[in-house]
Amino acid sequence: MMEYIDMHAHMASRTTDDYEQMALTGCVALTDPAFWAGFDRSSADGFDDYFHQLTEVEPKRAARVGIRHYTWLCLNPKEADNRPLARAVIEKIPKYLDRPNVLGIGEIGLNRVTRNEVATFQDHLDLAVAHNQMILIHTPHLEDKYKGTRIIVETLLKDGRIDPGRILIDHAEEHTIGMILENGFWAGITLYPQTKVSPQRAIDMVERAGPERICVSSACDWGPSLPIAIPRFALEMRRRRHTERSIRKIIYENPAAFLSQSPRFMLEDATDRNGQKAAPSAPLGAR
Amino acid sequence: MESRPFAGPMTGVQLVDEYFIENRTRLLDLAAFLDRLDRAADPAVDADFRMRAFREAVRTLSDSDGDRVGRIQMIFSDPRTEPTDGLDQKSACGAYRPEKGER
């Protein structure tokens, strides 16, 4: 069994059984970005309970099966068009940023690419910069993805305060991963059984773009999704005859390298099974 | 680690050996979907913006110009470059719906 880190898993919407499945298949740590609950919340006060869940409840639930739980805080793009709600939620976030499992601001971004969503995205960027936080970014899912990703990248590149190396732009697909990587950002690929990327397509993207600054995640939430999508991705990489070192690079070393930019992110077990520090990875595909 | 694209560890024939059956199944699913629409005999289907994009994507599948997946992604994508003024609906529908008067 190979250890892995799930960069994007909405565990607040999953069962304890899912945590157990993830632990049984090698998950050692995950990051749980703030998400849309499947309905619009009636007021900003509901977010106090949600942020409490992300910073207090879920870490304990994960720890019972030996998984380290980290989180990102924000108002998810699905609710970001509501400017009064967004402003009220963003005001609440700073008091949670010192919690020990908080890695930064996320998943911010765009959903239907409205002017209000862009304004809320900018407010989140200002918050992240003011508090020196890392950022996890959501990109729209279907016909809006190219347009939304392009506007996100342009907004970030125009902002002289932003370090692309501390930002992961998630839900990348074939038509967007180039603009993400070429501009110095980290690219996330989310594995889904229906609406996003299959393991086969994710591997194609890794092969075409090279393995640097690419992470994969389950992005599991309340919709059709698989909490153990990453071990299934690893299985598919083996089927495609990639080496174990190449697999480890994508599912463990890359996320560990990105997340280790936060002083809060720690992996006690950043050693191999013999207690030795992990050796430098061979080029993807080297055998 | 050097970052460079490559074709993958498998030869073309090995890829066919390993993946032909499941992709044959996907192709039959697509054909069955199109046949199902024919049986429905609903003229509205031909005017539906999603199915216009879908049929263009199917034509792209069978050409030999390369990067089919990237080009099909762009067939379904919103070509506009500016944010919209207001939220029309919460969820995306999978294909760009042209404004009246467009294409």
Side-chain angles (χ1 to χ4, degrees):
Chain A
M1 182 175 67
M2 185 178 286
E3 293 174 333
Y4 69 90
I5 298 167
D6 194 334
M7 288 287 294
H8 187 149
H10 294 295
M11 301 310 294
S13 71
R14 306 299 307 199
T15 66
T16 300
D17 288 341
D18 293 331
Y19 272 117
E20 188 176 276
Q21 288 295 311
M22 295 171 82
L24 285 168
T25 54
C27 183
V28 294
L30 58 84
T31 85
D32 191 340
F35 86 128
W36 185 57
F39 60 93
D40 288 353
R41 278 160 274 216
S42 58
S43 78
D45 289 340
F47 283 82
D48 280 313
D49 288 335
Y50 181 47
F51 294 152
H52 170 75
Q53 182 180 10
L54 288 175
T55 58
E56 300 285 344
V57 178
E58 295 304 327
K60 291 176 185 160
R61 211 156 65 111
R64 288 194 194 108
V65 290
I67 295 175
R68 285 180 177 269
H69 179 283
Y70 294 94
T71 193
W72 310 75
L73 303 178
C74 75
L75 182 86
N76 186 278
K78 278 273 195 182
E79 285 166 292
D81 192 72
N82 184 336
R83 292 289 290 144
L85 178 71
R87 289 191 193 97
V89 173
I90 288 170
E91 278 182 19
K92 289 178 177 292
I93 291 174
K95 69 183 178 191
Y96 296 96
L97 290 177
D98 289 337
R99 300 272 171 101
N101 74 326
V102 176
L103 296 177
I105 303 300
E107 55 176 310
I108 57 172
L110 303 175
N111 174 43
R112 291 291 282 169
V113 200
T114 67
R115 294 190 191 285
N116 279 348
E117 289 174 13
V118 174
T120 297
F121 176 62
Q122 186 65 59
D123 287 346
H124 277 117
L125 292 182
D126 293 342
L127 176 71
V129 168
H131 295 270
N132 193 29
Q133 297 291 306
M134 293 173 65
I135 300 172
L136 179 70
I137 296 181
H138 165 97
T139 53
H141 289 313
L142 297 169
E143 71 270 21
D144 308 316
K145 180 175 295 296
Y146 184 80
K147 173 184 177 180
T149 305
R150 187 172 56 189
I151 289 174
I152 286 167
V153 167
E154 286 171 355
T155 302
L156 293 168
L157 293 177
K158 273 190 260 178
D159 192 327
R161 306 168 301 171
I162 298 288
D163 174 4
R166 297 185 74 219
I167 297 178
L168 184 136
I169 301 181
D170 219 339
H171 309 306
E173 294 192 21
E174 293 86 353
H175 54 324
T176 60
I177 193 166
M179 73 172 97
I180 294 169
L181 293 173
E182 287 158 14
N183 287 296
F185 303 101
W186 286 70
I189 300 174
T190 46
L191 306 163
Y192 264 66
Q194 294 173 7
T195 53
K196 294 171 193 154
V197 178
S198 66
Q200 292 91 336
R201 284 173 52 208
I203 297 165
D204 290 334
M205 282 188 263
V206 171
E207 288 177 354
R208 293 178 71 170
E212 298 303 326
R213 284 183 285 116
I214 293 179
C215 301
V216 295
S217 69
S218 70
C220 58
D221 58 29
W222 54 267
S225 50
L226 296 172
I228 57 168
I230 293 179
R232 287 177 179 277
F233 168 86
L235 196 63
E236 186 63 27
M237 279 195 82
R238 287 188 193 102
R239 189 179 171 206
R240 294 264 282 262
R241 304 189 188 182
H242 286 288
T243 64
E244 295 302 301
R245 294 176 90 184
S246 297
I247 299 169
R248 180 178 165 86
K249 163 79 175 165
I250 301 296
I251 70 173
Y252 184 88
E253 292 174 10
N254 278 0
F258 175 72
L259 296 170
S260 293
Q261 296 180 88
S262 166
R264 296 227 173 88
F265 183 79
M266 288 177 289
L267 279 175
E268 320 173 300
D269 49 354
T271 52
D272 67 17
R273 294 190 184 286
N274 298 317
Q276 302 298 312
K277 281 285 180 192
S281 299
L284 189 68
R287 284 170 287 168
Chain B
M1 174 183 284
E2 182 188 0
S3 195
R4 58 184 172 79
F6 78 115
M10 300 174 79
T11 68
V13 172
Q14 286 171 336
L15 285 168
V16 175
D17 288 344
E18 183 67 31
Y19 288 96
F20 177 76
I21 295 293
E22 64 195 51
N23 284 291
R24 177 184 184 275
T25 302
R26 290 191 183 105
L27 196 59
L28 290 171
D29 274 341
L30 276 182
F33 174 54
L34 294 173
D35 286 348
R36 209 173 301 141
L37 290 175
D38 287 349
R39 290 202 307 280
D42 181 352
V45 168
D46 288 335
D48 189 290
F49 67 99
R50 292 163 297 186
M51 285 312 300
R52 287 208 307 269
F54 193 93
R55 291 184 192 283
E56 188 180 347
V58 170
R59 287 193 293 275
T60 302
L61 267 185
S62 59
D63 75 26
S64 55
D65 295 339
D67 190 26
R68 295 172 190 82
V69 65
R71 289 187 289 132
I72 288 174
Q73 290 275 25
M74 295 309 294
I75 288 169
F76 291 120
S77 293
D78 183 344
R80 294 171 296 180
T81 57
E82 294 296 319
T84 53
D85 290 329
L87 188 64
D88 53 350
Q89 60 191 48
K90 190 73 99 179
S91 298
C93 56
Y96 170 61
R97 183 198 296 265
E99 305 291 335
K100 280 185 181 172
E102 289 185 55
R103 62 173 182 179

